[in-house]
Amino acid sequence: MASETAATSQRRRPAEDMLAELKARLREIADLRAANAVLSWDQATFMPEGGAAARGRQMAMLSRLAHERSVAPDIGRLIDTLTPYSESLPPASDDARLIRVARRDFEKAIKVPADYVARASAHAAASYQEWTRARPANDFKSMVPYLEKTLDLSREYSQFFAPYAHIADPHIDDADEGMNAASVSKLFGELKRGLRPLVDAICDQPEADDSCLRREFAKPRQLEFARRAAEEIGYDFQRGRLDLTHHPFCTRFSAGDVRITTRVNDHDLGDALFSTLHESGHAMYEQGIDPALAGSPLGHGVSAGVHESQSRLWENVVARSRGFWEYFYPLLQRAFVDELAGVPLETFHRAINKVARSLIRTDADEVTYNLHITLRFDLEVRMLEGRLAVKDLAEAWRAAMQADLRVTPPDDRDGCLQDVHWYSGAIGGAFHSYTIGNILAAQFYAAALKAHPEISGEIPRGAFATLHDWLRENIYRHGSKFPPNELVARATGAAMSMEPYLQYLREKYGALYKLPAMVN
Ligand code: ZN
């Protein structure tokens, strides 16, 4: 490039000042959201019940302030003025990408009227409240009017983004930029075709015995072990902490404070351990983002699917592998001498990878889990398209469970009432990211192994740094700088693909269940 003249430098100065102003404004929005996240974390961990009403009001207030600032016309003007400037910057520079993401966020936010946001969030709160009563009572009927309104609101939301190819597209794009109903349907069709023979072959074998996980395991020792495992794989406790909650999650307040939560069950050794490692995977992603991106719209994980790939890579691909337990199992046995002394590694490894057709998504194994997701995705799409009425959802759910998993829920509590998503948010884009995460986890791991074949020999020695460094270098540090498709291509040299995942499942479960080669 030709050297810069004083004149262009002069013309650029205001652009640089405006960029600094935009960054300062975006940081204030990020700070409001982080403050809200602290309130939300506290609500889910330590807040006494009596705090609920005031907390709800305080959080709604902070959300409103953040939203108002994010749609302020002067932010739009800053972004408009900076767009030509961004085109003069190197296309992969932080600033060019920041302006792109700020523009995308702004354009999406201004399409949704404030009165819609208020109506939708009030309805979501009322629906969630009713669901907490209706699910234990197995009362789908009382949820029908709520869900009908949710469906109306979800369809209305899509209209703000018209024209679109499919009514689910705006919801899917919110979770995973660049994906849409057509691309997800195509992937899921391919996945189902690959999974069905594998699930059939596994379920033809004698069921794995997981009774060794169901003995009584003291909670403090479980937590201590989970904490140690999280620390050894690379979650940084200097910039994080682990607390107890009902539904484990990870939350980021700043680059130096990314927290995880877990739950512990004294009759299920896997619960605290795997949920802690899952959330550690989310947290390591957030902890690994380049500090230069902090406080900007690039300073967090890029999409729901990519985020989920990082939690599942550590939880499933690494922490349910044989190599991982060659290192950790002797330590676990030392922590639970009476409970595990007579249980061989082989038995334990099979137990934590037990595959069985089951009713509940969150309890499902790594293989059948995806069938729970593809089923929900199909139902969402049919409801949005108007091909399935809400009142017929429970019946459609039972039919789909029977067709895809060959089990029929005895009631709606363990059927279409089981997940909070539709009852506290939108219908559309609510579930597909979990399976996108599984698919990408295998693809990223295969790319890491290709670059560093030594990783598979390091894990059995408890050495995770090579893998962690590869993930930090190729995924974590970029935050939201590259859209998901570009990130995947940069990290793996290919577009998102099903093949590494199916191959991973076939190899792992082929060996565990001694399957005939026909499923390959
Ligand atoms: Zn997750």
Side-chain angles (χ1 to χ4, degrees), residues 278-279 282 307-308 311-312 434:
H278 179 101
E279 300 309 332
H282 283 302
H307 232 301
E308 206 58 22
S311 54
R312 281 156 195 261
Y434 296 114

Side-chain angles (χ1 to χ4, degrees), residues 217-261:
F217 297 94
K219 287 179 177 176
R221 266 180 289 152
Q222 285 196 55
L223 277 175
E224 201 183 310
F225 187 84
R227 191 188 157 89
R228 174 176 178 176
E231 194 159 22
E232 290 210 29
I233 65 170
Y235 173 61
D236 180 0
F237 277 92
Q238 300 298 315
R239 297 185 295 140
R241 55 178 289 136
L242 171 64
D243 294 285
L244 288 173
T245 191
H246 290 294
H247 300 286
F249 61 95
C250 160
T251 183
R252 175 195 173 105
F253 306 146
S254 68
D257 191 351
V258 180
R259 303 187 188 185
I260 57 174
T261 55

Side-chain angles (χ1 to χ4, degrees), residues 112-325:
V112 185
D115 89 284
Y116 174 86
V117 177
R119 277 188 293 128
S121 77
H123 174 66
S127 174
Y128 172 75
Q129 189 65 31
E130 179 62 8
W131 176 79
T132 58
R133 184 204 63 80
R135 189 191 175 207
N138 188 36
D139 181 8
F140 176 66
K141 218 170 155 197
S142 77
M143 288 315 299
V144 168
Y146 286 92
L147 215 45
E148 282 172 342
K149 189 167 174 195
T150 303
L151 182 59
D152 287 345
L153 286 163
S154 306
R155 296 174 63 93
E156 185 182 348
Y157 180 82
S158 294
Q159 297 311 321
F160 301 135
F161 299 91
Y164 42 72
H166 189 282
I167 190 165
D169 288 354
H171 293 279
I172 293 170
D173 191 73
D174 280 352
D176 294 281
E177 182 186 359
M179 303 214 72
N180 54 41
S183 61
V184 175
S185 299
K186 184 168 171 285
L187 272 173
F188 284 7
E190 204 182 322
L191 179 62
K192 272 167 91 166
R193 280 192 298 281
L195 276 181
R196 280 204 181 114
L198 182 65
V199 172
D200 287 346
I202 293 172
C203 294
D204 281 348
Q205 303 292 316
E207 196 169 85
D209 175 7
D210 65 351
S211 57
C212 64
L213 306 175
R214 315 263 170 239
R215 296 167 182 175
E216 192 168 337
F217 297 94
K219 287 179 177 176
R221 266 180 289 152
Q222 285 196 55
L223 277 175
E224 201 183 310
F225 187 84
R227 191 188 157 89
R228 174 176 178 176
E231 194 159 22
E232 290 210 29
I233 65 170
Y235 173 61
D236 180 0
F237 277 92
Q238 300 298 315
R239 297 185 295 140
R241 55 178 289 136
L242 171 64
D243 294 285
L244 288 173
T245 191
H246 290 294
H247 300 286
F249 61 95
C250 160
T251 183
R252 175 195 173 105
F253 306 146
S254 68
D257 191 351
V258 180
R259 303 187 188 185
I260 57 174
T261 55
T262 191
R263 63 175 171 223
V264 56
N265 175 340
D266 50 14
H267 286 97
D268 181 354
L269 184 55
D271 211 0
L273 179 61
F274 290 110
S275 75
T276 303
L277 293 172
H278 179 101
E279 300 309 332
S280 299
H282 283 302
M284 285 154 69
Y285 184 7
E286 293 291 334
Q287 288 184 330
I289 294 172
D290 181 349
L293 306 178
S296 87
L298 306 185
H300 51 74
V302 67
S303 67
V306 172
H307 232 301
E308 206 58 22
S309 77
Q310 297 313 302
S311 54
R312 281 156 195 261
L313 188 152
W314 287 103
E315 178 198 354
N316 289 334
V317 182
V318 175
R320 292 183 201 269
S321 73
R322 172 75 197 222
F324 183 87
W325 289 103

Side-chain angles (χ1 to χ4, degrees), residues 23-51:
K23 286 180 180 175
R25 301 286 300 269
L26 294 171
R27 179 179 290 274
E28 287 175 358
I29 298 166
D31 283 345
L32 282 169
R33 294 206 169 113
N36 209 358
V38 178
L39 294 187
S40 167
W41 168 84
D42 175 70
Q43 184 183 42
T45 50
F46 296 109
M47 188 190 79
E49 233 171 85

